[in-house]
Amino acid sequence: MPGRDSRGWGYVLPALAWTLAFFVLPFLLMACYSLWRFDAGKVQHVWTYENYEAFIARPHFLQALVNSLEVTALTVVLSVLLAYPLAWILAFRVPRHLQKIALVLAVLPFWTSYLVRSYSWLLVLSDRGIVNSALLAAGIVETPLELAHNRGATVLGFTHFFTMLLTLTIFASLVQINPHYHAAAADLGASRLRIFLRITLPLSLPGVVVGAFLTFVVAVGDFVTPQILGGGTELLMPQAIMLQISRYVNLPMASAMSLVLMAVVSLVFFACARWLRVRSQASP
């Protein structure tokens, strides 16, 4: 009915206006900047593909993208390996009346500032941090270990944060599994390992994929953790973009690099979406 249609548009228009103002228009502006020329410290409104050609031609830009993908992939793998057992324990071993309390404890890291968590890890891993101080006091090492300002520290900081995010998405999938499936498989003589491999794991994979994608999106575009824990020893894509803005004020090049990173994220999104769609169509 016309009245219902008008009311429906009234509910949707604020969200559409917000998306248009703060996503679509900035994205179009960034796309225009990426196709403009930067010369003599000024942006010239001359349409060109020079920024994309420069990104491909300069090895350090491509290496920054590779570094970001490697760090993100390692973070995703470690986070899944840590989050899945935790989510499984919350779903199947913690009593139902205690699960809400356990979930609140699991999301407590989200209540702390992201910047504070990064600096906290720096205090733990630095030359005079807790770990090195304990090792030196125990006589295990004679000189402080280089635990901070490297790729390992960046991955550790990422994993600490994203493990909890993955735990929530995997837990949401695990609790939706019908417990009768497990009981029927056990009655048919299946072992616990076989039940997990043939029932629990396949049915929880959508939650794993969704959580892994969210982890990938946030980690690949993160600037704070690599800057604090990585110490600038390894150039990642967000840092390379920020250098173009803060040091060179080269907005066209920064826009082109941002769009390249967005294209990579989009490819991963379409791959995950296709996998989920094929899986849902194959399910009975």
Side-chain angles (χ1 to χ4, degrees):
M1 297 178 63
R4 291 185 178 180
D5 292 340
S6 61
R7 287 199 301 270
W9 278 107
Y11 295 136
V12 173
L13 282 177
L16 290 177
W18 181 274
T19 303
L20 179 65
F22 295 102
F23 177 76
V24 176
L25 292 180
F27 176 79
L28 293 177
L29 181 61
M30 186 171 64
C32 291
Y33 264 96
S34 71
L35 295 173
W36 288 339
R37 178 176 297 168
F38 183 78
D39 190 20
K42 295 182 180 180
V43 178
Q44 300 180 358
H45 297 174
V46 178
W47 300 103
T48 178
Y49 294 104
E50 291 179 356
N51 297 310
Y52 294 98
E53 294 173 352
F55 175 81
I56 297 174
R58 297 177 184 176
H60 58 280
F61 285 158
L62 292 177
Q63 188 60 47
L65 178 59
V66 172
N67 291 339
S68 292
L69 294 178
E70 289 177 351
V71 169
T72 303
L74 185 57
T75 299
V76 170
V77 172
L78 292 177
S79 298
V80 170
L81 293 177
L82 293 174
Y84 200 100
L86 178 57
W88 186 88
I89 292 173
L90 291 175
F92 299 123
R93 287 294 178 262
V94 175
R96 187 171 294 275
H97 66 280
L98 296 177
Q99 285 182 351
K100 292 183 178 180
I101 299 177
L103 288 174
V104 170
L105 294 176
V107 300
L108 277 179
F110 291 100
W111 298 0
T112 307
S113 169
Y114 193 64
L115 187 63
V116 170
R117 285 198 301 273
S118 297
Y119 275 111
S120 298
W121 273 113
L122 186 61
L123 293 175
V124 173
L125 301 174
S126 64
D127 292 345
R128 297 183 180 180
I130 298 174
V131 176
N132 274 315
S133 297
L135 293 176
L136 290 171
I140 299 176
V141 296
E142 296 181 357
T143 58
L145 301 177
E146 296 182 2
L147 301 177
H149 300 154
N150 52 46
R151 175 179 289 193
T154 301
V155 173
L156 180 61
F158 277 151
T159 304
H160 169 238
F161 178 75
F162 293 115
T163 295
M164 295 300 103
L165 176 64
L166 270 160
T167 298
L168 296 179
T169 60
I170 297 173
F171 172 83
S173 292
L174 290 174
V175 295
Q176 295 180 20
I177 299 176
N178 193 329
H180 293 134
Y181 293 164
H182 296 160
D187 290 340
L188 294 174
S191 63
R192 291 184 178 181
L193 179 60
R194 190 172 183 82
I195 292 174
F196 173 78
L197 294 177
R198 298 300 296 272
I199 297 177
T200 306
L201 181 60
L203 293 178
S204 62
L205 280 180
V208 175
V209 172
V210 171
F213 174 72
L214 293 176
T215 300
F216 177 87
V217 171
V218 181
V220 78
D222 186 275
F223 171 77
V224 174
T225 298
Q227 188 68 20
I228 295 175
L229 295 179
T233 57
E234 183 178 48
L235 187 65
L236 302 184
M237 196 68 170
Q239 295 170 302
I241 295 172
M242 288 300 298
L243 284 175
Q244 294 298 316
I245 297 174
S246 61
R247 180 174 298 181
Y248 306 110
V249 200
N250 190 344
L251 297 182
M253 191 65 205
S255 299
M257 296 171 66
S258 299
L259 288 178
V260 169
L261 189 60
M262 184 177 294
V264 173
V265 173
S266 299
L267 290 175
V268 176
F269 168 76
F270 287 123
C272 293
R274 177 176 175 80
W275 185 88
L276 291 172
R277 184 171 59 253
V278 171
R279 182 175 180 81
S280 62
Q281 293 174 352
S283 300

